[in-house]
Amino acid sequence: MTKHAIGRVRHEPRRRLLTVKQVERLTPNMARVTLGGDLAGFVSSAYDDHVKVFFPLPGQDAPTIPEQGPNGPVHPEGVERSPGRDYTPRRYDAARNELIIDFALHDAGPATDWAAKARPGQKLGVGGPRGSFVVPDDFDWYLFVGDETALPAIGRRLEELRAGAKAIVVAAIAGPEEEQRFESRADVETIWVRRPLSQAENPAPLLDAVRKLDLPKAGDGYCWAAAESQTAKLLRQHLVGECGFDKAWVKAAGYWKRGAVSIHETHND
């Protein structure tokens, strides 16, 4: 088997109407929602997969979920579209028939409004994942960098890593009350970068923290970054251009951008 055989896997597109089973607050600004229902055949092969979550409109009991047509989603005529946003499948438990999604509560919008008031019995639509970018766990060490929106993917990956691997996490949060405790068999070093949410667009706090890192000199390292889109782009430029990482071993994604709705931008150079 080729070492570090990174590859993409496609999944059959499917949309489901799910029911909230449990809601808990991991931190003041992070809500965990456990969903159940029509989850047979659900597949998520990578920690940074994303599903499209459809939220009910005000006054609705359930969202309107588009059908999958030959050229993409097809929305019913004459029916107002339910808003959809991308989220990480934090954990899927086939034995319990449960899907967990963590919601970072930040700017007002349909996702934050719904998640802040979520209760058992409510309905959500979930579509995907359409595919997975699979990174094998055969690197010697890993660097994960991100803001609040990246924590679900980081937490999932830390839980999946093998014993003996080393992981460095640099995460921007609003304050100590937003720190999360992650379970992992790997040797994990976590650096929390505290800055107010009002400065979440500012790339300096994360960039400065990454520049100060004493990264391992031996072994192969894989770097993953997700944050505001421009911040993610600058992080990749630093890791590739200044740190000399192989481009194939650095993945950076913009999970949000001020003023934009439901974006997911991958930065390749």
Side-chain angles (χ1 to χ4, degrees), residues 187-211:
D187 177 15
V188 181
E189 175 189 0
T190 304
I191 299 165
W192 297 105
V193 179
R194 299 173 185 173
R195 52 89 181 99
L197 278 178
S198 60
Q199 297 181 20
E201 281 179 287
N202 182 3
L206 276 176
L207 276 171
D208 290 347
V210 171
R211 288 190 175 111

Side-chain angles (χ1 to χ4, degrees), residues 16-135:
R16 312 160 193 267
L17 184 63
L18 303 177
T19 302
V20 176
K21 296 177 67 174
Q22 183 179 351
V23 181
E24 56 184 310
R25 283 293 177 93
L26 301 180
T27 69
N29 289 318
M30 186 70 73
R32 170 162 293 177
V33 177
T34 301
L35 301 164
D38 177 24
L39 285 165
F42 183 86
V43 177
S44 177
S45 304
Y47 63 98
D48 60 348
D49 284 347
H50 56 275
V51 293
K52 183 72 73 176
V53 179
F54 299 94
F55 300 91
L57 289 165
Q60 288 184 335
D61 295 325
T64 300
I65 304 176
E67 297 291 334
Q68 181 66 31
N71 299 314
V74 178
H75 296 267
E77 290 188 18
V79 176
E80 187 176 359
R81 296 184 181 185
S82 295
R85 300 290 187 270
D86 290 335
Y87 279 91
T88 300
R90 177 63 176 81
R91 186 181 303 125
Y92 170 58
D93 189 328
R96 296 175 61 89
N97 194 48
E98 291 180 346
L99 173 64
I100 292 174
I101 299 178
D102 291 351
F103 293 84
L105 309 179
H106 40 88
D107 289 346
T112 289
D113 290 348
W114 182 89
K117 304 171 185 175
R119 297 291 183 272
Q122 293 179 317
K123 303 291 185 181
L124 267 190
V126 172
R130 293 182 298 175
S132 300
F133 185 78
V134 181
V135 178

Side-chain angles (χ1 to χ4, degrees), residues 163-225:
K166 178 177 177 57
I168 303 167
V169 176
V170 182
I173 55 173
E177 70 281 358
E178 294 300 323
E179 294 182 10
Q180 294 187 37
R181 187 183 297 266
F182 299 115
E183 299 294 330
S184 183
R185 293 169 296 176
D187 177 15
V188 181
E189 175 189 0
T190 304
I191 299 165
W192 297 105
V193 179
R194 299 173 185 173
R195 52 89 181 99
L197 278 178
S198 60
Q199 297 181 20
E201 281 179 287
N202 182 3
L206 276 176
L207 276 171
D208 290 347
V210 171
R211 288 190 175 111
K212 294 175 183 177
L213 291 176
D214 183 16
L215 296 174
K217 302 298 189 295
D220 294 340
Y222 184 85
C223 305
W224 182 91

